[in-house]
Amino acid sequence: MELEQAKELHSLMFKFMGIFHEKFIAHFRRHFQFEPKLKKNHGKTIHILYQHDGLTATELGKMLDLEKGGLTTIIDQLEEMGLVKRVVDFDDRRKTLLFLTRAGREQMDQAIEELTSGFSNIFHGVSPEEIEDFMLNLKSVVNFLQKL
């Protein structure tokens, strides 16, 4: 990859992340609150476990870009809230896997329902064709990143 191309890729990725957080994550945090109230990293942790139940703390830490000590504190707090549980891996007893509890999954189901119903506000004024193009492009980006 050429230096100029790498610089443009860097710029585009960080622009995307900023816009994503502004338009989606901030909107979500303003319009939906978990009970009990969660901090940002709590919410991110629950979102990741909703998509990838049964992760190790190491895997989860990489996805969230969090240090092990900070992540342990978050998991302990979520476990105390009854939203996350630790389960020993039956295939390798040295590993502990992280899962959402029923309460954690139910809250995420409700959160996703509210967030997706709020998409009409976020995408107000965007044509159905533009939404379809956006979804196709986003699928392409996700598929590409999964190959790396």
Side-chain angles (χ1 to χ4, degrees), residues 47-140:
H47 275 84
I48 295 291
L49 288 175
Y50 187 82
Q51 298 294 324
H52 305 277
D53 232 2
L55 293 175
T56 64
T58 300
E59 292 166 330
L60 181 60
K62 287 178 184 177
M63 290 179 166
L64 293 168
D65 191 28
L66 292 174
E67 299 291 328
K68 192 169 187 169
L71 182 61
T72 298
T73 300
I74 290 168
I75 294 167
D76 288 345
Q77 292 167 344
L78 290 171
E79 195 171 37
E80 287 175 22
M81 292 177 205
L83 301 174
V84 170
K85 63 182 174 183
R86 292 174 164 107
V87 176
V88 174
D89 186 347
F90 294 114
D91 296 328
D92 184 349
R93 292 182 296 161
R94 297 170 294 173
K95 289 184 186 177
T96 299
L97 303 177
L98 303 168
F99 293 88
L100 289 182
T101 62
R102 178 177 301 210
R105 188 154 292 281
E106 286 172 358
Q107 285 212 34
M108 272 306 301
D109 287 338
Q110 181 184 356
I112 289 171
E113 176 110 5
E114 290 192 29
L115 179 63
T116 55
S117 68
F119 277 177
S120 60
N121 293 331
I122 294 172
F123 288 100
H124 178 75
V126 179
S127 74
E129 294 81 16
E130 288 175 306
I131 292 171
E132 187 63 34
D133 285 347
F134 175 70
M135 288 177 59
L136 288 171
N137 288 319
L138 196 54
K139 285 178 187 177
S140 176

Side-chain angles (χ1 to χ4, degrees), residues 14-34 37-48 51 63-64 108 111-112 114-116 118-119 122-123 134 138:
F14 277 88
K15 282 180 186 176
F16 172 80
M17 288 190 325
I19 293 168
F20 173 76
H21 280 275
E22 176 189 350
K23 302 291 184 181
F24 293 94
I25 301 301
H27 176 83
F28 173 76
R29 288 180 54 78
R30 280 192 306 271
H31 294 93
F32 182 82
Q33 287 298 321
F34 277 87
K37 190 170 171 87
L38 301 179
K39 296 177 183 173
K40 285 182 185 181
N41 284 336
H42 291 127
K44 290 176 184 179
T45 301
I46 289 175
H47 275 84
I48 295 291
Q51 298 294 324
M63 290 179 166
L64 293 168
M108 272 306 301
I112 289 171
E114 290 192 29
L115 179 63
T116 55
F119 277 177
I122 294 172
F123 288 100
F134 175 70
L138 196 54

